[in-house]
Amino acid sequence: QLHLQESGPGLLKPSETLSLVCDVSGGSVNTPAYYWSWLRQFPGRGPEWIGYIYYSGSADYSRSLFGRAAISLDTSKNQVSLTMTSVTEADSAVYFCARQEIVGAGWFDPWGQGIRVTVSS
Amino acid sequence: LVLTQSPATLSLSPGESAALSCRASQNIDIYLAWYQQKPGQAPRLLIFDVSNRAPGLPARFRGSGSGTDFSLTISSLEPEDSAVYYCQQRGTFGGGTKLEIK
């Protein structure tokens, strides 16, 4: 059974770079069958898609992040990483990694448990 | 694409049925998924491509619709169905419906 687990610093200062890692077990990230995505969720809001990466290295990102996000794959460690530059307090949220279906509705399943990130001076 | 969910909150009793709505701002054919999220947990996939139940999901969860109007119907409500439910199509999520079972 596929399992995803996020890790990284829970507290950052404004203008710093956020770096999160998603450890994937029970399956390989090096597969043409799925995308690997990052999402975040603010309190009381629906999840917000940040972006995805494909095994080929191609990626797509939400335009709302204005180029601040980058997602990468480490197939040797079976990990998916998120980097987000120049964070502000508005980036404080719970961040999730998830496997994303390529076709149809592009649903997300499974999800990691999430990691809370707080940006504060 | 904007997904608008209604109602924002729904309060029902055990055994009753719940009808949750998701309206898309443009035609998305049958490409819609539904999730359940409980406090402190990640969203859990319930339904994909309108009406396909995730493995292990009871048949009392039923998705329907096409084009711009979609519904998630939960029959024979149980207390553990209390959660927030989201619809989703690719990178877009709805704002959620909070279902309370009292």
Side-chain angles (χ1 to χ4, degrees):
Chain A
Q1 187 175 0
L2 194 72
H3 181 74
L4 288 74
Q5 178 75 54
E6 304 90 346
S7 62
L11 180 63
L12 290 90
K13 291 182 168 52
S15 80
E16 290 185 332
T17 295
L18 170 66
S19 293
L20 298 176
V21 173
C22 175
D23 283 292
V24 179
S25 57
S28 175
V29 300
N30 193 20
T31 172
Y34 301 99
Y35 296 139
W36 300 94
S37 291
W38 283 93
L39 306 96
R40 64 183 180 179
Q41 189 171 28
F42 304 105
R45 303 277 298 274
E48 175 183 289
W49 174 73
I50 295 171
Y52 71 71
I53 190 162
Y54 192 45
Y55 85 113
S56 62
S58 64
D60 192 20
Y61 301 97
S62 169
R63 291 176 180 80
S64 68
L65 293 169
F66 302 105
R68 294 191 298 124
I71 299 174
S72 60
L73 279 179
D74 186 332
T75 56
S76 65
K77 296 181 180 179
N78 219 37
Q79 292 177 336
V80 187
S81 296
L82 169 68
T83 301
M84 187 178 297
T85 59
S86 305
V87 297
T88 71
E89 292 180 354
D91 293 310
S92 297
V94 177
Y95 286 73
F96 298 96
C97 59
R99 186 180 68 179
Q100 184 179 6
E101 180 64 41
I102 294 175
V103 298
W107 60 91
F108 300 93
D109 181 59
W111 298 56
Q113 67 182 24
I115 183 169
R116 183 173 301 278
V117 173
T118 302
V119 181
S120 175
S121 55
Chain B
L1 173 68
V2 177
L3 296 175
T4 302
Q5 293 188 242
S6 62
T9 304
L10 193 54
S11 185
L12 294 168
S13 298
E16 292 187 315
S17 292
L20 285 63
S21 173
C22 178
R23 177 162 290 180
S25 61
Q26 62 193 65
N27 185 350
I28 57 173
D29 200 353
I30 61 166
Y31 303 126
L32 188 88
W34 291 91
Y35 299 82
Q36 176 193 69
Q37 187 176 31
K38 297 182 178 181
Q41 297 183 15
R44 168 198 174 194
L45 176 70
L46 300 176
I47 303 281
F48 60 94
D49 287 351
V50 169
S51 60
N52 296 280
R53 282 188 295 275
L57 187 69
R60 57 192 188 85
F61 288 83
R62 187 174 66 87
S64 62
S66 66
T68 60
D69 289 306
F70 302 87
S71 296
L72 174 67
T73 302
I74 311 171
S75 58
S76 303
L77 286 167
E78 300 177 1
E80 53 264 34
D81 296 331
S82 293
V84 180
Y85 291 82
Y86 296 102
C87 57
Q88 171 258 332
Q89 203 273 350
R90 303 214 71 87
T92 302
F93 286 80
T97 291
K98 183 177 183 179
L99 176 61
E100 299 175 332
I101 312 301
K102 297 180 179 179

